[in-house]
Amino acid sequence: MASLSLRHIYKKYPGGVTAVSDFCLEVKDTEFIIFVGPSGCGKSTTLRMIAGLEEITEGELYIGDRLVNDVAPKDRDIAMVFQNYALYPHMTVFDNMAFGLKLRKVPKETIKRKVEEAARILDISHLLDRLPKALSGGQKQRVALGRAIVRDPKVFLLDEPLSNLDAKLRAAMRTEITKLHNSLQATFIYVTHDQVEAMTMATRIVVMKDGVIQQVDSPQALYDNPVNLFVAGFIGTPQMNFINGTLEKDDDGFVYLHFGEIRIRLPEEKGNADEIKPYIEKEVIAGVRPECIVDTPMQIAAMQEASFEAYCDVTELMGAEIYLYLIANKVEVDESLKERKNVVIDRSGEQKLIARVSPRSTVRAGDTVTLAIDTTRMHLFDKETEKAIVFLTEEEKKKAARVAEAEKAAAEAENAQTETVEETPVEEPVEEKTEESVTDTSVTE
């Protein structure tokens, strides 16, 4: 198996279209990396550049210690699983899985052993004599995976392999692929637009937007600490609630998020943090996960300074939980005005929220309810840059200070060394007079 190194990779098409921009990523051996993002973000293009199916415009790609920019796909020692399976319809499952090995003139005994071993791992041994038309979608996907496994490649590349499957089969295949990765201990690069697949399978997730990496981290770290508004909204189902509000500080030193008629007090550690001071009396975007909006009396009593009233517009019973679709700062309109055609009702001040609550919740559509926000888990974002306002712990601040001090010392040492080299006088070489030169001089004179 092998590691991968993508160094400042660009993909530019004629007409000035840049599909991938300055893509830098170090993939460790046996990692399960997932590229995730909306359609058109460049994730499949990046995967195809790794496979050699797309030419790299700029940058360097290493598989292990080998630079492979100009290496043909068949010589990169990678295996790719496509979205549409790409099985040969006239070949049996066995022949489909063995086809690549036959092209490489691998001995028949070795081919048989590898195909049977891969079939055992994927639980398709009983399907080896069937044609693809006699297989279900999930079985076809396993055959495509088996064809990749028998090659024993350094890197597995999977381009949205589950997108053609139904929801139940997709969930089952997610588990199968995770088990396969654990048993093979191979390096997997996986592309998907489904953030649920990314969260459940990946070692690390690469979130992309418009050809640019937004954040690379473990699934839980992405969920808990998104670096910007895009990552916060993309990771998580239902997505994070975003509230446009103003940070205000009262006479007692407490900081509040004020939106419409609602004021939510921030915890003291956040309100007194150095990072928040430049944003006082300015507009910010607050991010609240649906599970951080609570409706039980006990929780509301404990978060009294973060409680508010909202109108429940719709409820969705999911079995293990209920989604509440809420409207805070709801505009109340007189019934007589609703009937008048020339009246425009301004609802711009309303704040729509989604809460994930217990299935035992008694809230029903049409109710006006009291809720509270767990502000210890609230995220704040700069409204202009959309970057997260990061709150560092004391230990993190000390670590950052130590790193900054070390970098400063290294820079000063480098500058001092450069100045020393510049100040050192360079002695002019003294031309040694040879016997011939002396003789020539004397003759000249």
Side-chain angles (χ1 to χ4, degrees):
M1 303 307 166
S3 58
L4 271 83
S5 178
L6 294 92
R7 304 175 186 177
H8 305 288
I9 299 290
Y10 285 81
K11 179 58 185 179
K12 299 177 182 178
Y13 291 102
V17 177
T18 302
V20 178
S21 180
D22 198 23
F23 191 101
C24 297
L25 181 67
E26 298 294 326
V27 181
K28 299 176 184 176
D29 188 20
T30 74
E31 268 198 300
F32 197 135
I33 298 292
I34 292 187
F35 298 163
V36 69
S39 298
C41 71
K43 54 189 184 295
S44 289
T45 302
T46 305
L47 193 78
R48 290 173 64 83
M49 285 192 286
I50 296 172
L53 303 177
E54 291 276 359
E55 185 179 345
I56 296 172
T57 308
E58 294 178 34
E60 296 178 331
L61 170 63
Y62 287 85
I63 297 179
D65 298 326
R66 183 187 183 197
L67 180 64
V68 296
N69 284 47
D70 300 320
V71 176
K74 65 183 180 65
D75 298 323
R76 295 193 180 193
D77 199 9
I78 54 96
M80 190 161 180
V81 179
F82 295 92
Q83 178 179 344
N84 59 358
Y85 318 133
L87 301 179
Y88 297 104
H90 63 288
M91 293 184 183
T92 63
V93 169
F94 183 96
D95 291 333
N96 265 286
M97 292 173 65
F99 187 70
L101 299 179
K102 289 178 180 177
L103 290 179
R104 287 169 176 74
K105 311 294 185 186
V106 176
K108 289 184 178 180
E109 296 78 10
T110 305
I111 292 175
K112 187 173 184 297
R113 176 176 54 80
K114 287 192 170 187
V115 170
E116 288 178 349
E117 176 62 18
R120 184 190 61 78
I121 292 171
L122 296 167
D123 194 24
I124 54 173
S125 300
H126 60 293
L127 304 176
L128 291 177
D129 294 328
R130 290 191 191 180
L131 292 173
K133 66 181 180 181
L135 302 176
S136 67
Q139 289 169 339
K140 288 178 183 178
Q141 193 56 268
R142 292 186 189 189
V143 175
L145 286 168
R147 186 171 54 189
I149 292 170
V150 296
R151 289 190 53 199
D152 194 21
K154 289 182 178 177
V155 182
F156 286 85
L157 306 178
L158 299 95
D159 188 8
E160 301 198 39
L162 308 183
S163 60
N164 290 341
L165 305 180
D166 61 68
K168 185 177 179 181
L169 193 52
R170 193 182 300 128
M173 284 304 297
R174 282 203 308 263
T175 306
E176 292 297 326
I177 292 175
T178 302
K179 287 164 60 179
L180 179 64
H181 173 255
N182 293 337
S183 63
L184 295 178
Q185 285 298 296
T187 305
F188 276 46
I189 310 291
Y190 187 107
V191 164
T192 182
H193 63 272
D194 185 348
Q195 54 95 15
V196 175
E197 289 180 19
M199 291 292 290
T200 53
M201 294 194 293
T203 307
R204 285 190 297 157
I205 299 173
V206 180
V207 183
M208 297 181 67
K209 179 189 177 188
D210 299 331
V212 178
I213 293 178
Q214 301 296 306
Q215 187 173 356
V216 182
D217 218 325
S218 66
Q220 194 61 49
L222 278 178
Y223 191 83
D224 292 337
N225 304 300
V227 297
N228 59 33
L229 209 62
F230 175 79
V231 177
F234 193 83
I235 300 296
T237 303
Q239 78 165 41
M240 181 182 286
N241 298 292
F242 295 118
I243 303 170
N244 289 292
T246 304
L247 291 181
E248 300 175 349
K249 197 168 189 175
D250 67 5
D251 296 336
D252 296 324
F254 293 112
V255 176
Y256 290 82
L257 175 71
H258 185 195
F259 58 102
E261 301 298 321
I262 299 172
R263 295 176 83 232
I264 302 294
R265 193 170 89 182
L266 270 61
E268 286 189 48
E269 60 271 18
K270 282 188 177 180
N272 296 329
D274 295 334
E275 295 86 354
I276 211 71
K277 290 178 182 177
Y279 294 95
I280 300 299
E281 304 302 330
K282 291 184 179 180
E283 288 189 6
V284 296
I285 300 174
V288 181
R289 294 284 183 197
E291 62 269 23
C292 297
I293 300 177
V294 298
D295 70 331
T296 64
M298 186 179 294
Q299 291 172 308
I300 294 169
M303 307 174 191
Q304 196 64 42
E305 297 294 337
S307 63
F308 65 99
E309 283 193 350
Y311 173 79
C312 183
D313 196 26
V314 177
T315 64
E316 289 183 348
L317 176 60
M318 307 299 291
E321 57 200 7
I322 296 177
Y323 295 160
L324 305 180
Y325 291 80
L326 308 163
I327 301 176
N329 295 318
K330 181 174 171 58
V331 176
E332 299 295 339
V333 181
D334 190 271
E335 291 297 328
S336 61
L337 290 176
K338 289 182 181 180
E339 297 173 0
R340 295 172 61 178
K341 295 181 180 180
N342 59 341
V343 174
V344 177
I345 300 170
D346 181 13
R347 297 186 181 277
S348 59
E350 294 184 343
Q351 177 66 56
K352 294 185 178 180
L353 301 168
I354 303 176
R356 177 191 279 138
V357 298
S358 166
R360 293 182 293 276
S361 173
T362 58
V363 178
R364 297 293 178 264
D367 292 349
T368 298
V369 293
T370 300
L371 305 111
I373 294 175
D374 182 358
T375 52
T376 60
R377 298 164 64 190
M378 178 190 285
H379 301 266
L380 294 175
F381 301 92
D382 187 298
K383 192 168 184 178
E384 293 182 3
T385 65
E386 296 189 351
K387 292 183 179 179
I389 302 171
V390 181
F391 299 93
L392 300 177
T393 63
E394 288 302 318
E395 185 60 35
E396 289 171 334
K397 288 180 182 178
K398 290 178 183 177
K399 185 178 179 181
R402 288 196 298 268
V403 171
E405 193 173 331
E407 289 177 349
K408 183 180 178 182
E412 289 176 351
E414 187 177 347
N415 292 336
Q417 187 176 3
T418 303
E419 290 172 2
T420 303
V421 171
E422 289 176 353
E423 291 174 1
T424 303
V426 179
E427 295 183 3
E428 296 182 2
V430 179
E431 185 180 348
E432 294 184 5
K433 293 184 178 181
T434 62
E435 199 172 297
E436 288 182 3
S437 65
V438 173
T439 305
D440 290 342
T441 304
S442 60
V443 171
T444 303
E445 290 176 352

